[in-house]
Amino acid sequence: MTPERIFPMVKLYEQKDVNELDDSSASTSKAGSASLEEFFSVGDFAAAAHQAVKRLADMLSGDSLEGVRLQRPADLMARARNLMVPADRGRFDLHRFSEILDLYLETAIKVNSRGYMARQFSSVMPVAAVFDMVSAMVPQPASYYEAGQLPNIADRLLEETLGRLVGWPHGRFEMVTTSGASLANMTAVLVARNHCFPQSWNGGLAAAGSRRPAIAVGEDAHFSVTRVAGIIGIGQDQVVRLPLNYRRQICPAGAAAALDSAAFCGLDVFCVIASAGTTSIGANDPLPELAALAKRHGAWLHVDAAHNGAFLVSDRLRPRLSGLELADSFCMDAHKTLFVPALCTLLFYKQKGMAETAFPQKDSYVFDPFEDEMTAVQSGVKNFECTKRPAILNLWLAWSLYGRHAFADKLEHLVTMTGAAHDYLASQPDFLVPHRPESNILCFVHRPAGVDSRRLSRLQIQLRDRVRAAGQYLLSKVDLDGRTMLRMVLMNHQIGLHDIEGVVAEIRRHARDILENDATESEQMRLFRLQPGE
Ligand SMILES: *Cc1c(COP(=O)(O)O)cnc(C)c1O
């Protein structure tokens, strides 16, 4: 279809809102069955895209306080089922399209709202999202140069730019992109395993003989890290837990003792995994000390910097990653703290040449026998994934347009705001804030006067649920050392101190309600001489 034929169609939809369209207009709800041509109609694409852009622009420019509206799964199932065309063959219907779009937006966590304070995923830089659609429409599987020329070049450009920020010498390190930090962590541990147990790719762990390959992780490591032990056959019994200090960082002295005792028990720790930005509170482990410790034990040091790795882009925050340059590998999630569409993870290796040792296969259809200038820049053999979205382009595009400071400014703002939230909460007599935030994650406990400590954890969960149900704010919770805390992750740069005051007022209001209810219940139990649980 030529542009002359498409644009009038878009014009039609520009002039009318979908709600005003009657069933006879354009290609909506025509009787009869659709042809193959229609399923791939350019006009329908343009109309749908126009509709989506309008809805998204409305959403982005709104300023209401919203968390998430949870629906009962059975109700949502019924609503969704109702939107499915009843026959096996349908036609494009802009009404149906819009209703599906609206249902998706309605049930979403409102990451663009100032009420969203819950999780590590963020709204994205809008232009990056546009490019995500473009790359969906023009697929360039990013693993092979022939199929994904620009994605492989973008990989190399960001590799160079970010690796230089680590402080590594030009041309000596390398980076691959993966779909998520879970996969990046697994890939890095595989490289470490193949490095320390070269026979294991073919011989399996049995090739280690009487040695028992093990990994060591901090008590607060992300679950994807410990899961690796199960996936690659090390086994959970061979995961050494490194104790934390009062700031919930791995404690170097405790870690040294744990590694010595593991060695004494016959464990061969080949990989130490530290965190830069733990999921629970955003803590950064002491990397220089852990690098020295790993070296002493002949172990690889991998840093799971999924959350705080983005500090690299900020001159002010980068010093908090000191020691990262000593790691053998680290990963960072651009879909978290660099604000691009998921999934986009960068996995760095200090030494060039390591990446291809993760999956040392030589299958003829992926490997050309001779490396040329094109195969030299591609990542295929270094990756678990075969077909892979070129998500790196979203990051490269935003970086190309706005430069490093766009990311740095937002991240610095979020970290500053989280510090201000900490100071505010710490100044309130009925809030406990055990950790000064190193990042944009803050954990706290609401403790109204007179509530005893056994009641506190359940109260926090009730508060999380009540605040969520009220619909204006969204918080998460975390369990630390058997105590439940509320958890705030600030990912939206529009959040100000008045929003923190707002959520605090909301928490107090629900707590009063819950405790009054408690009092009424125990009064009733006393009156009817009931025992709790009867
Ligand atoms: C989010 C996160 C992960 C998991 O990353 P995905 O990209 O969701 O796979 C791993 N480690 C840490 C520290 C994280 O914050």
Side-chain angles (χ1 to χ4, degrees):
M1 190 176 286
T2 61
E4 297 74 52
R5 289 182 57 203
I6 301 164
F7 288 127
M9 286 195 190
V10 177
K11 279 261 166 334
L12 172 73
Y13 294 110
E14 269 171 5
Q15 286 153 10
K16 292 180 172 224
D17 189 74
V18 65
N19 300 322
E20 302 160 16
L21 287 174
D22 62 51
D23 282 353
S24 62
S25 53
S27 59
T28 61
S29 307
K30 273 180 272 175
S33 64
S35 67
L36 202 45
E37 291 293 304
E38 284 185 60
F39 299 139
F40 293 85
S41 153
V42 183
D44 294 346
F45 159 68
H50 180 67
Q51 194 65 41
V53 167
K54 252 172 56 175
R55 284 285 198 280
L56 293 174
D58 282 351
M59 180 191 79
L60 291 174
S61 43
D63 189 32
S64 56
L65 275 178
E66 286 179 280
V68 66
R69 271 183 264 165
L70 283 185
Q71 314 226 346
R72 312 266 327 265
D75 297 343
L76 183 56
M77 178 93 77
R79 287 180 67 189
R81 200 190 299 282
N82 230 359
L83 290 172
M84 297 170 74
V85 69
D88 281 342
R89 182 184 288 268
R91 332 200 94 200
F92 180 72
D93 174 344
L94 193 58
H95 286 290
R96 195 187 296 281
F97 174 82
S98 298
E99 284 183 78
I100 292 175
L101 178 64
D102 287 346
L103 187 60
Y104 184 72
L105 298 180
E106 179 194 325
T107 50
I109 289 181
K110 303 299 186 294
V111 290
N112 296 286
S113 162
R114 287 175 293 112
Y116 170 64
M117 304 175 175
R119 299 193 170 275
Q120 291 167 278
F121 60 91
S122 109
S123 62
V124 301
M125 287 189 178
V127 290
V130 174
F131 211 79
D132 204 53
M133 186 187 75
V134 172
S135 65
M137 187 68 88
V138 184
Q140 295 202 14
S143 300
Y144 298 96
Y145 188 76
E146 177 191 88
Q149 300 180 55
L150 196 54
N152 280 289
I153 293 302
D155 268 2
R156 301 286 72 77
L157 290 169
L158 286 168
E159 168 185 74
E160 188 49 45
T161 309
L162 287 158
R164 207 173 28 223
L165 293 172
V166 179
W168 283 338
H170 175 81
R172 303 271 290 281
F173 54 88
E174 69 182 316
M175 183 275 280
V176 296
T177 50
T178 68
S179 298
S182 306
L183 195 50
N185 287 332
M186 187 196 81
T187 307
V189 177
L190 261 181
V191 168
R193 190 202 69 177
N194 294 343
H195 182 68
C196 298
F197 297 95
Q199 311 303 326
S200 60
W201 181 263
N202 290 320
L205 290 183
S210 59
R211 298 167 71 192
R212 279 167 62 202
I215 60 174
V217 309
E219 292 277 5
D220 269 1
H222 188 264
F223 71 87
S224 65
V225 171
T226 42
R227 189 177 272 182
V228 171
I231 297 172
I232 72 171
I234 295 163
Q236 297 300 320
D237 294 345
Q238 277 66 239
V239 177
V240 178
R241 307 280 174 162
L242 305 177
L244 308 179
N245 64 18
Y246 70 102
R247 292 166 68 189
R248 300 198 77 81
Q249 305 160 312
I250 293 176
C251 159
L259 288 180
D260 286 342
S261 125
F264 184 78
C265 298
L267 296 184
D268 195 341
V269 173
F270 67 86
C271 187
V272 172
I273 299 152
S275 304
T278 52
T279 311
S280 54
I281 75 160
N284 293 322
D285 288 330
L287 301 180
E289 288 84 348
L290 293 175
L293 197 56
K295 193 166 177 193
R296 185 143 58 79
H297 285 264
W300 183 276
L301 177 66
H302 174 66
V303 180
D304 178 359
H307 194 83
N308 283 356
F311 284 3
L312 277 178
V313 304
S314 152
D315 297 333
R316 217 184 83 203
L317 298 172
R318 197 178 314 117
R320 300 188 187 193
L321 296 176
S322 111
L324 189 66
E325 71 283 1
L326 303 169
D328 296 295
S329 57
F330 75 89
C331 65
M332 57 192 274
D333 269 349
H335 57 267
K336 285 176 181 158
T337 32
L338 291 178
F339 323 111
V340 295
L343 294 159
C344 181
T345 302
L346 286 66
L347 168 59
F348 281 86
Y349 298 92
K350 182 168 64 183
Q351 195 187 324
K352 200 177 175 72
M354 293 317 289
E356 67 187 51
T357 67
F359 310 102
Q361 281 163 301
K362 302 279 178 208
D363 291 313
S364 60
Y365 63 95
V366 290
F367 260 102
D368 279 333
F370 306 105
E371 187 168 273
D372 60 20
E373 58 179 349
M374 297 190 192
T375 55
V377 297
Q378 74 189 11
S379 64
V381 297
K382 304 168 183 174
N383 255 311
F384 182 71
E385 296 150 281
C386 183
T387 309
K388 185 177 76 173
R389 285 294 301 273
I392 192 71
L393 284 180
N394 302 325
L395 178 60
W396 180 72
L397 170 93
W399 195 289
S400 301
L401 288 170
Y402 304 129
R404 171 165 71 90
H405 281 285
F407 304 94
D409 289 356
K410 172 152 174 168
L411 206 47
E412 288 169 11
H413 179 85
L414 294 176
V415 172
T416 303
M417 194 58 227
T418 310
H422 166 274
D423 295 346
Y424 175 74
L425 284 171
S427 72
Q428 307 298 307
D430 51 348
F431 281 81
L432 306 173
V433 200
H435 308 285
R436 172 160 275 287
E438 290 185 51
S439 180
N440 55 339
I441 303 177
L442 179 66
C443 296
F444 58 94
V445 173
H446 177 45
R447 183 174 193 170
V451 176
D452 78 68
S453 53
R454 284 167 307 167
R455 177 74 180 84
L456 268 189
S457 282
R458 194 158 61 87
L459 178 63
Q460 309 311 304
I461 294 177
Q462 287 174 304
L463 286 170
R464 191 269 320 257
D465 293 348
R466 293 257 190 143
V467 167
R468 181 175 63 197
Q472 284 202 306
Y473 298 95
L474 190 66
L475 296 166
S476 50
K477 65 107 184 156
V478 65
D479 297 312
L480 298 177
D481 302 328
R483 289 198 304 165
T484 301
M485 300 188 186
L486 291 169
R487 174 171 172 267
M488 183 182 267
V489 186
L490 300 188
M491 295 300 276
N492 183 343
H493 56 275
Q494 290 153 323
I495 292 176
L497 206 49
H498 52 281
D499 297 309
I500 307 298
E501 289 165 359
V503 76
V504 161
E506 175 96 348
I507 288 170
R508 284 190 179 126
R509 183 164 71 78
H510 289 298
R512 270 196 303 274
D513 244 33
I514 293 167
L515 296 174
E516 265 169 31
N517 213 30
D518 273 9
T520 322
E521 265 179 23
S522 64
E523 177 65 7
Q524 281 170 351
M525 272 199 253
R526 196 184 59 78
L527 284 175
F528 295 106
R529 298 183 186 288
L530 290 174
Q531 296 300 312
E534 276 186 62

